[in-house]
């Protein structure tokens, strides 16, 4: 059952770290793209502009909405591991139980630490995309 501890530590937490890097990378790339976009270059088609400014936003939104569930998975696995240890050792030591549960909760905390900024990133990018589309509407609509 020790493999489960490694899976929680390296698998779940590692996945959350990867998701945070992806979310931050997309945010920076999209923010730079949106800051430098020329609405006049899309004078023929609002649809092409909308596709360009909303590209990859779904990825950031998906990370923000699913990271807490990934963290929760790590917490459930950590709690299962704690109860397994209690069952196999045959005695209850409150200090060990509390340490096991506290370590299990780190996955939920990590999931929230990824989700909250990702949702903020998504909202910032979505607002900027809406402003750009409104600017196109004012100019060509």
């Amino acid at each position: 059952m020790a493999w489960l501890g490694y899976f929680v530590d390296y698998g779940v937490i590692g996945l959350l770290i990867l998701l945070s890097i992806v979310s931050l990378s997309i945010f920076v790339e999209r923010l730079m793209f949106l800051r430098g976009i020329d609405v006049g270059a899309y004078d023929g088609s609002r649809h092409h502009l909308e596709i360009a400014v909303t590209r990859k936003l779904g990825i950031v939104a998906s990370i923000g909405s699913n990271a807490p569930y990934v963290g929760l998975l790590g917490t459930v696995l950590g709690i299962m591991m704690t109860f397994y240890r209690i069952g196999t050792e045959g005695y209850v030591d409150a200090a060990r139980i509390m340490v096991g549960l506290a370590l299990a909760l780190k996955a939920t905390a990590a999931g929230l630490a990824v989700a909250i900024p990702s949702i903020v990133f998504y909202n910032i990018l979505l607002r900027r995309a809406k402003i750009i589309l409104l600017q196109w509407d004012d100019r060509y609509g």
Side-chain angles (χ1 to χ4, degrees), residues 49-72:
L49 175 63
E50 189 169 351
I51 290 169
V53 298
T54 59
R55 184 171 288 131
K56 299 181 188 173
L57 290 185
I59 296 170
V60 177
S62 294
I63 290 171
S65 62
N66 288 306
Y69 295 116
V70 174
L72 184 60

Side-chain angles (χ1 to χ4, degrees), residues 18-35 52-64 117-118 120-122 124-126:
L18 176 66
L19 290 175
S20 68
I21 292 168
V22 168
S23 179
L24 181 62
S25 300
I26 291 173
F27 173 70
V28 170
E29 184 271 329
R30 290 279 85 197
L31 192 62
M32 290 173 26
F33 174 78
L34 293 175
R35 284 187 176 172
V53 298
T54 59
R55 184 171 288 131
K56 299 181 188 173
L57 290 185
I59 296 170
V60 177
S62 294
I63 290 171
S118 293
V120 171
F121 295 162
Y122 173 75
I124 290 169
L125 294 173
L126 186 64

Side-chain angles (χ1 to χ4, degrees), residues 87-99:
T88 57
E89 292 174 4
Y91 64 92
V92 177
D93 181 12
R96 290 187 65 177
I97 293 171
M98 292 305 138
V99 168

Side-chain angles (χ1 to χ4, degrees), residues 3 6 44-46 55 57 62 64 84 101 109-110 114 117 125 132-133:
W3 64 270
Y6 292 118
S45 174
R46 184 183 192 277
R55 184 171 288 131
L57 290 185
S62 294
Y84 179 80
L101 295 178
V114 172
L125 294 173
I132 290 169
L133 291 171

